[in-house]
Amino acid sequence: YDSGRDGYIDLMELKLMMEKLGAPQTHLGLKNMIKEVDEDFDGKLSFREFPLIFHKAAAGELEEDSGLLTLAKLSEIDVSIEGVKGAKNFFEAKVQALSSASKFEAEIKAEQDERKREEEERKHRRAAFRELKSAFTQ
């Protein structure tokens, strides 16, 4: 439903999604839907915010007349009927997300290790210089 391919679902994309799912909403209803899970207050749903709809629905935190509850119910999948097609993509995406986070941590650790190595190298050069200096001052 992200027709803009920007990683977000904006108001018009949400409107189109709800229409395609057979549960059209008013403009105000759509704004309220976004506001209910829009944690960064940018007026659109990010990939991270979208699953909050289903989390809140499962926890019973959505109003009965909420468009989000309708969306969650329309999007439910009965695994006994549908099977697990798409699970592979989900888990691959999850692994990729985790590995990118750990890659970031690895880069930070590599920078820290590099700084430590440079500091040790400076200490060795200073010690070598002092030795050389003491040889000339004697």
Side-chain angles (χ1 to χ4, degrees):
Y1 294 105
D2 180 18
S3 59
R5 300 271 183 222
D6 60 356
Y8 297 93
I9 295 179
D10 62 23
L11 187 76
M12 294 310 292
E13 292 168 335
L14 183 60
K15 177 182 186 289
L16 183 63
M17 178 185 355
M18 294 304 290
E19 288 172 355
K20 284 184 177 182
L21 290 170
Q25 301 290 313
T26 64
H27 186 77
L28 186 58
L30 292 165
K31 281 186 161 185
N32 287 335
M33 287 171 66
I34 291 174
K35 192 185 332 179
E36 233 177 306
V37 292
D38 187 15
E39 291 185 323
D40 56 6
F41 307 106
D42 62 355
K44 49 191 175 183
L45 300 176
S46 68
F47 177 75
R48 196 178 77 69
E49 293 165 339
F50 193 76
L52 285 176
I53 297 167
F54 306 99
H55 177 73
K56 285 186 172 195
E61 297 174 4
L62 298 176
E63 300 290 323
E64 273 302 313
D65 61 343
S66 169
L68 290 179
L69 187 60
T70 304
L71 174 62
K73 286 181 180 177
L74 287 171
S75 302
E76 285 181 354
I77 296 173
D78 186 352
V79 177
S80 64
I81 295 170
E82 297 294 327
V84 289
K85 62 185 176 193
K88 176 181 179 244
N89 294 336
F90 169 79
F91 288 112
E92 285 177 352
K94 185 70 174 173
V95 166
Q96 184 178 6
L98 290 173
S99 68
S100 67
S102 62
K103 185 187 301 183
F104 180 68
E105 291 170 0
E107 288 175 6
I108 291 173
K109 179 143 176 53
E111 285 180 20
Q112 291 171 340
D113 291 344
E114 179 65 20
R115 284 189 198 127
K116 285 179 185 176
R117 189 190 59 74
E118 288 173 356
E119 185 61 33
E120 287 295 321
E121 192 175 303
R122 265 189 241 122
K123 285 179 183 177
H124 288 296
R125 282 196 312 256
R126 284 184 194 141
F129 178 76
R130 284 189 200 117
E131 269 186 48
L132 192 58
K133 181 181 172 186
S134 67
F136 283 106
T137 56
Q138 290 180 355

